[in-house]
Amino acid sequence: DEFISSPPRKTVRFGGTLTEILLKYEKGDTTDFELLKHQLSDPDIKDAQIINWLHEFRTSVAYLTKELEQLVNILLKLPWLTRSREVVEEYLGFLGNLVSAQTVHLRPVLRMIVSQFVPPRITIREDDVDISDSDDDDENLSESFNTCHRALQTVARYVPSTPQFLMPILVDYFPFINKSERTLECYVHNLLRVTVYLPTLRRQILELIIEKLLKLDVSTPQQDIEDAEEAANNSGSDEKSTEEGLFDMEEDEERKGNQVVSSSSERMAHPLAERLDLLMTILFSYIKDVCHVNGKLDINNTKDLYRDLVSVFDKLILPTHASCHVQYFMFYICSFKLGLAEAFLDHLWKKLQDPNNPSVIRQTAGSYIGSFLARAKFIPVVTVKACLDLLVNWMHKYIDNQDTGANAYCDVALHGPFYSTCQAAFYTLIFRHKQLLDGNLRKGLSYLQSLNFERIVMCQLNPLKICIPSVVNLFAAITRKYQLVFCYTIIERNNRQFIPVVRSGTRGDLVQTCTNPLDSFFPFDPYILKRSKKTIDPLYQFWEELSAEDLENLKKPIKKGTSEDEDDDFLKGETPQNDGVVGIAPNSYESHTRSPVSSIGSPPDCYVPFP
C-alpha cells in the first residue's frame, strides 16, 4: 500500500527485526523486548512508528501466543482511533490477522472495541488535583464509533464464534445508570447498531437494554417525576436557570451521531427520568428504522422484530409490577399494523386464560388487555368488540363453573384472574362506550345488552367489591345511564362491608380502607417523558373531559337520606360518607384513584373519578 511505503520503512532502532526480538525473548534475552514494550507504551509515539510496528506485527502474529499476552495488551491500548486514517486502516488489518491466527486473544480484542462505545473521559489535573472529568464530546465521535463497528465486523468475519464471546462483554461494559446521559445514550445507540450486522444477538441485546431501562423506570415512580417537574416549575428563578446554563451548554445543541436534540424546555427535572427519556427516544427510533425501508413498512422485518420484542416483554415486562414507560415499546410497534395489535392482544389473552400460568401473570395480562384496548387509538371498534366478546364470554363461563361450587364467594386469592378480567372489561367500556354506541344507538345498545353485564355484577363473586373504586364508579354511572345494569345498591352494600385499617404514622393514626385489593395498575396510563412522548401522543387515546351535559347524566342519583354535599363528593372523586362507612383516605394506591393535575390525559379530580 502507498501509505505504508510513504515513510521509509525502518527496522527497530535498537537492533534486529520484530521476529528476532521475539525469538530472543523466547531464549531468555528480554532487553530488546522491554525496549519494544517501552516504545509502544510511549504516549508521544508517532503515526509513522505505529504503522511500521503494526506492519511487522501483522507478519509475526504466529509468535503472539498466550505467553506474549502482556505485549498484546500494550498493542490493544494504542490510541489508534484518534490517529490518521493510515494508522486506523493498518490497525484494522492487524486485528484481523491477530484474531484469525491467535483466537486466544479474541476476548481482549472484543473488550478493547466495546470499551470505545462510550465517549472518552477527559481529566484535567492542576496541582495534582482532578478539576475536570467530563465527556469528551468532540466532532469526531461519530466517526470513531463507525470505526469501532468496522473493527467489530472485521473480527466477526474472521472468527464466526464472535457473537457468543461478545455478548457477556456487552453486558459487563454497560454503564451504570448514574453515569452521564451522554455516556448511556452513546452506549445504547452502539449496542443497537451491533444488532444490524450481528442479527443473532438482537434478542439478547434488546433484552439487555430493556432490562436496564426497566431498572430506571421502576426507580422513578410517576409521582416522583411529577413532583420533580412541579418543584422545578415553582422554583424556576433566574439565578437557578443561569447556574444550570453554565453546566448544560451542550444540551442546547443538536447532538451529532444520535440526532437527539435537547433543549432546556425538554429536559426532565428528575435526573433518572431524563436518562430514561433519552434512551426511550433512541429505542423508538430504532424500532421505526428497522421496520421501515425507504419510508415504507417492511412486513418481514417488522414481524421478526415483533417476535423478539414479545419475547423480551414476556421475560421482563410482564413479571414487573407497575413500570410506567418501558412497556410502550410494544404499544409503539403494534401501531404500525393492525395485525400486530391483534396478535399482541391474542398473546395476552392466551396468557390470561391459561390456568397453568401463575395467577399474578394472568392478572397482569388482564391489566394489559384492558389498558391497551382503552388507550390505543389505532385499534378500531370492531377489534374492541371482538375482545369484549372474548372477555365477557370467558367471565360467564367462569361464573357457570364457580356459582355452584364451594368457592362461590368473593376472594381475590381464589379468583384474581376473574377480577382482573372484569376490570379490563369495565375499563374498556368506560373509554370506548361512545364509539360502541356511535352511528346506530339502537344497535349499539343491543350489543351492550347482549354482554349481560348484569349477571357479572350480581354474581356471588362480587367483582364490584374488588375492582378499583374509580373504575367501578364510572362503570356504574355509564351502565345506569344506558340502563344496562344498576350497580349502586351493590356498591353501597360493599362500602358498608369495607374493613378499615388503622396505620400509625408521624402525624398520628390514619384510618384507611384497602381500595386496590387486586394490587392492579394500568400499564398504558399517560406517558409523561417529554421527548419520547412525541412519538406516543399521536397514537394515544386521552381521557376526554366530560361536558356539563355528560356530568348531569352521569351524576349519582340523590337518594333519601343523603345530602347534595354528598353528591358533590362523588363528583370530586370521594366516597360518600354514610353512617358506619369509613372514607377512603390517601394511600399507596392513591395515584390509581386520583389523577394528579399534571397527568394530562386522565380526568382531573373535579370530574367523575377515574384512574
Side-chain angles (χ1 to χ4, degrees):
D1 291 328
E2 189 181 337
F3 67 83
I4 293 176
S5 56
S6 51
R9 186 166 291 129
K10 303 170 187 174
T11 55
V12 182
R13 276 180 289 180
F14 37 81
T17 63
L18 176 65
T19 306
E20 290 168 355
I21 295 171
L22 298 179
L23 288 172
K24 279 184 188 178
Y25 176 74
E26 286 181 9
K27 293 174 183 175
D29 183 356
T30 61
T31 308
D32 287 353
F33 184 78
E34 291 301 323
L35 285 169
L36 169 63
K37 289 196 320 187
H38 178 74
Q39 187 177 351
L40 288 171
S41 303
D42 183 2
D44 298 322
I45 188 170
K46 302 288 188 289
D47 284 7
Q49 290 174 301
I50 294 178
I51 291 170
N52 285 330
W53 280 121
L54 289 175
H55 190 80
E56 287 200 59
F57 272 109
R58 287 180 70 174
T59 57
S60 308
V61 287
Y63 295 98
L64 298 177
T65 56
K66 176 74 173 170
E67 287 69 33
L68 292 177
E69 187 176 17
Q70 192 180 13
L71 178 61
V72 172
N73 285 338
I74 291 172
L75 285 166
L76 293 179
K77 287 177 183 173
L78 280 172
W80 63 285
L81 272 174
T82 55
R83 299 288 179 147
S84 64
R85 184 181 65 85
E86 291 82 0
V87 172
V88 168
E89 296 301 325
E90 188 67 30
Y91 197 86
L92 291 174
F94 161 70
L95 288 180
N97 287 16
L98 178 65
V99 295
S100 58
Q102 302 286 351
T103 51
V104 69
H105 299 303
L106 177 61
R107 279 194 183 93
V109 168
L110 293 176
R111 278 196 287 269
M112 181 273 295
I113 297 171
V114 173
S115 69
Q116 308 289 343
F117 278 2
V118 295
R121 305 291 284 181
I122 298 298
T123 304
I124 301 170
R125 296 182 71 83
E126 191 173 282
D127 299 330
D128 293 328
V129 178
D130 292 350
I131 60 170
S132 176
D133 182 21
S134 58
D135 290 328
D136 179 23
D137 203 0
D138 61 44
E139 294 178 3
N140 299 321
L141 197 56
S142 180
E143 191 179 330
S144 295
F145 290 153
N146 290 340
T147 307
C148 284
H149 289 289
R150 277 187 63 199
L152 201 49
Q153 289 175 72
T154 300
V155 171
R157 191 164 58 245
Y158 284 110
V159 186
S161 60
T162 294
Q164 70 189 72
F165 291 97
L166 176 62
M167 197 60 221
I169 293 168
L170 295 178
V171 174
D172 290 343
Y173 275 82
F174 202 104
F176 186 60
I177 58 172
N178 280 339
K179 289 286 185 184
S180 75
E181 296 129 27
R182 185 64 171 150
T183 298
L184 285 163
E185 187 183 349
C186 290
Y187 193 79
V188 168
H189 190 269
N190 284 316
L191 282 190
L192 292 171
R193 281 186 68 176
V194 172
T195 67
V196 176
Y197 53 85
L198 293 178
T200 55
L201 285 183
R202 183 167 74 180
R203 186 172 294 188
Q204 290 169 270
I205 287 175
L206 285 170
E207 189 178 312
L208 169 62
I209 292 171
I210 289 167
E211 181 186 8
K212 300 295 182 181
L213 291 179
L214 205 51
K215 286 180 181 176
L216 271 174
D217 200 4
V218 297
S219 302
T220 50
Q222 196 156 336
Q223 193 62 53
D224 289 3
I225 297 173
E226 290 175 338
D227 290 346
E229 289 297 319
E230 191 176 346
N233 291 338
N234 292 341
S235 61
S237 62
D238 292 340
E239 292 82 10
K240 187 169 185 294
S241 60
T242 305
E243 185 184 2
E244 283 180 346
L246 293 174
F247 298 101
D248 296 328
M249 286 167 64
E250 79 279 4
E251 296 295 343
D252 295 329
E253 299 173 1
E254 182 170 338
R255 291 174 170 175
K256 297 186 178 180
N258 295 342
Q259 288 82 42
V260 175
V261 181
S262 180
S263 66
S264 56
S265 63
E266 285 186 325
R267 284 186 67 83
M268 301 295 298
H270 196 296
L272 293 183
E274 170 68 9
R275 289 163 174 76
L276 182 61
D277 193 11
L278 284 168
L279 300 184
M280 288 300 293
T281 304
I282 292 170
L283 183 59
F284 288 153
S285 298
Y286 171 78
I287 291 171
K288 184 179 180 182
D289 289 348
V290 168
C291 295
H292 293 80
V293 177
N294 299 324
K296 292 184 179 179
L297 187 70
D298 185 295
I299 299 299
N300 291 327
N301 287 358
T302 306
K303 282 181 180 176
D304 289 343
L305 182 60
Y306 169 83
R307 289 188 194 100
D308 286 343
L309 290 176
V310 163
S311 170
V312 176
F313 175 84
D314 284 351
K315 186 171 181 181
L316 297 177
I317 305 292
L318 207 53
T320 303
H321 181 69
S323 58
C324 298
H325 299 100
V326 180
Q327 58 266 24
Y328 270 90
F329 68 80
M330 286 306 305
F331 190 95
Y332 183 51
I333 193 170
C334 287
S335 70
F336 293 162
K337 195 166 180 62
L338 178 59
L340 294 176
E342 291 177 343
F344 183 51
L345 285 165
D346 183 59
H347 179 75
L348 292 168
W349 168 240
K350 285 173 180 169
K351 294 271 182 196
L352 173 60
Q353 66 169 347
D354 184 358
N356 295 317
N357 282 328
S359 181
V360 66
I361 294 295
R362 297 174 68 190
Q363 288 172 219
T364 307
S367 297
Y368 270 94
I369 290 173
S371 199
F372 192 59
L373 287 173
R375 295 294 195 172
K377 195 185 282 186
F378 48 85
I379 295 182
V381 178
V382 63
T383 305
V384 174
K385 288 172 78 171
C387 291
L388 272 177
D389 286 339
L390 275 176
L391 295 172
V392 171
N393 286 337
W394 183 85
M395 287 189 278
H396 283 303
K397 285 179 183 173
Y398 192 93
I399 293 168
D400 289 340
N401 293 334
Q402 296 295 334
D403 255 4
T404 55
N407 295 329
Y409 55 90
C410 185
D411 189 334
V412 177
L414 286 174
H415 309 296
F418 170 78
Y419 294 125
S420 183
T421 309
C422 290
Q423 187 158 276
F426 298 165
Y427 192 71
T428 303
L429 184 71
I430 290 166
F431 265 87
R432 296 285 194 159
H433 70 277
K434 285 185 180 176
Q435 289 168 288
L436 290 167
L437 298 168
D438 197 29
N440 190 329
L441 183 62
R442 181 176 292 180
K443 193 174 177 182
L445 281 174
S446 175
Y447 168 72
L448 291 179
Q449 286 164 356
S450 72
L451 297 176
N452 196 2
F453 277 117
E454 186 171 12
R455 180 174 184 243
I456 295 167
V457 166
M458 302 289 184
C459 74
Q460 296 292 315
L461 303 181
N462 194 359
L464 295 186
K465 186 175 183 179
I466 301 300
C467 295
I468 293 173
S470 47
V471 172
V472 170
N473 289 339
L474 261 183
F475 175 75
I478 289 165
T479 51
R480 176 186 178 276
K481 176 183 176 181
Y482 295 108
Q483 298 180 12
L484 299 172
V485 55
F486 189 79
C487 302
Y488 292 111
T489 308
I490 297 169
I491 292 172
E492 288 171 6
R493 186 181 69 213
N494 291 339
N495 284 343
R496 286 193 291 272
Q497 293 172 355
F498 265 129
I499 301 172
V501 178
V502 179
R503 299 185 190 278
S504 296
T506 53
R507 298 177 184 176
D509 292 343
L510 183 67
V511 180
Q512 295 184 334
T513 51
C514 180
T515 58
N516 188 2
L518 264 180
D519 199 18
S520 57
F521 71 108
F522 299 104
F524 297 119
D525 264 357
Y527 191 97
I528 59 172
L529 302 177
K530 292 180 184 176
R531 293 179 193 82
S532 44
K533 81 192 293 285
K534 294 174 184 173
T535 303
I536 298 301
D537 281 0
L539 314 168
Y540 192 76
Q541 179 64 56
F542 290 93
W543 173 250
E544 296 176 5
E545 292 186 356
L546 298 172
S547 65
E549 185 184 353
D550 286 337
L551 277 173
E552 194 62 38
N553 289 335
L554 292 182
K555 273 186 184 180
K556 184 177 178 181
I558 301 171
K559 294 193 181 309
K560 195 174 180 180
T562 62
S563 68
E564 290 201 18
D565 288 340
E566 288 172 343
D567 191 53
D568 288 340
D569 286 343
F570 171 76
L571 296 178
K572 292 173 187 171
E574 299 171 5
T575 303
Q577 299 200 14
N578 301 325
D579 291 337
V581 178
V582 180
I584 297 174
N587 55 56
S588 59
Y589 303 114
E590 188 179 18
S591 60
H592 297 305
T593 57
R594 175 183 63 81
S595 294
V597 175
S598 56
S599 276
I600 305 299
S602 283
D605 290 343
C606 57
Y607 294 116
V608 177
F610 194 76

